[in-house]
Amino acid sequence: MTYQPGRQFLQIPGPTNIPERVLRAIAAPVLDHRGPDFARLASEVLARIKPIFKTAQPVLIFPASGTGAWEAAIVNTLSPGDKVLGFDSGQFSLLWTNMARKLGLEVETLATDWRRAPDPALIEAALAEDREKKIKAVLLIHNETANGCMTRVAEIRQAMDRVGHPALLLVDTISSLGSADFRMDEWGVDVAIGGSQKGLMLPAGLAFCAVSEKALAASKQAKLPRSYWDWDSYLGGNFPYTPACNLLFGLREALNLIDAEGLENIFIRHAHHAEATRRAIRGWGLEVVCAEPKDYSRSITAAFMPEGCSADAFRKLVLERFNMPLGGGLGRLADKAFRIGHLGDTNDLMLGGALFGVEMGLAAARIPHKAGGVQQALNYLADQSGNTARLAAE
C-alpha cells in the first residue's frame, strides 16, 4: 500500500485509539516492579479502577488479554463437571461457552438469532426449571461486540432473584467498561471481567476480574486446576508475576482522563455517538443488525450489507482508499455485515469523519444505498452538542 497522508480513522470495536497523553505515560522508563515506586503505582490503580466497575470489591489485574480473565473467572469459581448457563447470542458469547466446555464444564445453551441480547424471561424460565440447582453460574456478555447488542444485566439479576437461584453471575464487560453504565455491586454481579484495549483507551495487555464476596467464597471450594490465574496469588494487591508496568502507567493516565471528563459524561457521549451512527445507517437505507432498541449497544454498531453485496470487499475498499479500518462480520455474520466502533477516545468530529468515510465507501463500491446518512448523523450531533443534561434525563 502506498503512503496515505493524514491520520488513520481506526473504527474497529477495539483496540481503540490511544490518547497521546496515555501513549506518553506508557513510554516512561521501566521501573523496578518489586520496588517502592511500583508499590505506590499498583496501590493507586487498584483503588482507582474500582469506581469504573462501580464496586467496592477487590479488582485483580492480570498481564493478559480479556480472554485470560474469562478463564480466571471460570477456574476460580467452578469444579469439573459443573453445569453453567451460557448463550449462543453472538460470536463472543459462543467463544466463552466453548471455553467452558474445554475446561470440563457442562454447558446449557440458550440461543438467539444473533440480532437480540439474551432474554431475561427465558433465563428466568431456565433457572426455574433447574429445581436441583445444578446450574452453578450464568455466563453473560454485557456488550456483544459481534452484533452490537447489549445485555440487560440488571433485569437478569432480578430474574435470578425472583426464582431464588444461587448461581453465580459472571459478566464480561470487555467492550462496555468505561463506555456504558455498568454497576457491579448494585446489579449483584459476582465476577466482572474487563480488558484494557477498549473503553479504557490502552493497548491490549491488561485483564481485570472484579470479584464479589460470594465469588471469593466459591473459589475456596472450586476444584478446576489453576495456577497462573489463581486469585489467591493476586488478592491483597499482589502482582505475583512480572506485571505490565508501563501499561499500568498508561492506566493511571487513562483514569486521569476519565476523571477529568466524568464517567457519567462519558456514558452520555457514547450514547450520542451510537444514536448518530444508527441514524446514518438508516439514512443510507441499510439495516442495523441489532433488532431491538432496548438492546442497542453504546460502543459498537453493526450494519447489514444489501443482499448480494460483500461486506468484506466493501471494508477492503474503504481501508485501501480511505485508510479507515472497519470491523468485519464474525461467525454467522461473516461477509454479511460490517461494524463501526465508536468507543474510547473519540469525539463528534472524529465520528463525523468516520461516517463520511463509510458513505464515500458505499458510493465508491457501488453499494445500493441512499445518500445523506452522514447529514442525518451530523444534524443529530449538532442538536445534542453541549446538551448532555437532556439525554441524562431521558
Side-chain angles (χ1 to χ4, degrees):
M1 182 183 295
T2 59
Y3 171 72
Q4 293 178 295
R7 63 166 290 244
Q8 183 180 74
F9 274 75
L10 182 68
Q11 299 301 144
I12 61 176
T16 62
N17 296 296
I18 301 172
E20 289 291 333
R21 282 173 53 177
V22 174
L23 287 172
R24 289 195 294 270
I26 292 171
V30 175
L31 52 70
D32 174 10
H33 63 283
R34 297 296 176 235
D37 289 341
F38 177 78
R40 285 189 286 271
L41 171 65
S43 178
E44 178 183 351
V45 296
L46 286 169
R48 293 180 63 195
I49 194 66
K50 290 183 180 183
I52 310 301
F53 286 94
K54 295 191 176 179
T55 186
Q57 305 303 317
V59 180
L60 315 180
I61 303 179
F62 302 88
S65 71
T67 304
W70 276 358
E71 184 162 336
I74 290 173
V75 299
N76 280 280
T77 58
L78 299 164
S79 298
D82 277 353
K83 186 175 183 179
V84 298
L85 184 62
F87 302 89
D88 180 1
S89 53
Q91 183 70 3
F92 292 93
S93 64
L94 197 56
L95 288 173
W96 199 10
T97 59
N98 287 341
M99 174 188 280
R101 289 190 181 92
K102 290 178 181 179
L103 291 171
L105 302 178
E106 178 187 349
V107 181
E108 177 181 338
T109 303
L110 296 181
T112 74
D113 59 2
W114 282 36
R115 299 196 64 190
R116 293 164 177 80
D119 186 343
L122 294 180
I123 296 172
E124 182 173 355
L127 294 175
E129 291 177 6
D130 180 31
R131 294 179 179 83
E132 296 180 16
K133 305 298 187 282
K134 291 185 177 181
I135 295 173
K136 302 301 181 184
V138 177
L139 311 183
L140 286 179
I141 304 285
H142 184 212
N143 185 77
E144 176 53 71
T145 321
N147 54 24
C149 294
M150 184 164 282
T151 303
R152 287 163 277 146
V153 177
E155 292 182 32
I156 290 169
R157 164 48 72 189
Q158 293 164 7
M160 295 173 69
D161 291 346
R162 277 194 295 271
V163 296
H165 203 287
L168 294 165
L169 181 58
L170 313 184
V171 181
D172 168 335
T173 74
I174 293 171
S175 64
S176 59
L177 189 69
S179 303
D181 195 14
F182 180 79
R183 308 179 186 188
M184 177 175 172
D185 291 356
E186 181 180 331
W187 295 349
V189 174
D190 293 300
V191 184
I193 291 158
S196 56
Q197 74 276 20
K198 297 184 186 278
L200 294 181
M201 304 175 289
L202 292 160
L206 297 179
F208 306 88
C209 280
V211 185
S212 74
E213 292 181 6
K214 182 178 175 181
L216 285 174
S219 73
K220 306 303 179 185
Q221 308 300 322
K223 298 296 191 295
L224 278 172
R226 57 189 189 264
S227 175
Y228 183 85
W229 306 115
D230 189 357
W231 285 346
D232 284 344
S233 301
Y234 288 84
L235 289 169
N238 294 323
F239 286 79
Y241 312 111
T242 305
C245 296
N246 287 63
L247 289 182
L248 295 177
F249 281 131
L251 176 59
R252 179 169 63 185
E253 188 58 32
L255 292 171
N256 289 341
L257 295 178
I258 290 171
D259 288 347
E261 184 175 359
L263 191 59
E264 302 305 317
N265 291 330
I266 291 171
F267 297 158
I268 292 169
R269 169 167 58 84
H270 280 77
H272 283 163
H273 288 177
E275 176 61 23
T277 302
R278 292 190 295 268
R279 291 189 182 208
I281 289 169
R282 294 191 185 102
W284 296 321
L286 304 182
E287 186 177 7
V288 174
V289 171
C290 182
E292 296 288 345
K294 62 180 176 293
D295 296 337
Y296 285 154
S297 169
R298 303 292 189 272
S299 50
I300 168 266
T301 302
F304 281 117
M305 293 299 283
E307 190 71 28
C309 297
S310 167
D312 290 345
F314 166 70
R315 291 191 307 109
K316 183 174 183 290
L317 181 147
V318 170
L319 175 61
E320 293 177 350
R321 195 169 297 187
F322 307 120
N323 197 19
M324 185 170 74
L326 296 168
L330 301 175
R332 298 181 199 171
L333 301 175
D335 206 29
K336 298 177 181 178
F338 65 94
R339 297 176 297 149
I340 302 171
H342 37 76
L343 71 163
D345 186 45
T346 189
N347 59 33
D348 290 359
L349 294 180
M350 293 163 69
L351 180 67
L355 297 175
F356 181 59
V358 173
E359 187 159 332
M360 286 196 301
L362 292 170
R366 302 188 186 280
I367 303 295
H369 72 287
K370 301 175 184 177
V374 169
Q375 190 60 57
Q376 293 193 32
L378 297 186
N379 290 344
Y380 172 79
L381 290 173
D383 182 57
Q384 297 298 328
S385 178
N387 191 11
T388 58
R390 181 166 64 192
L391 185 66
E394 289 177 353

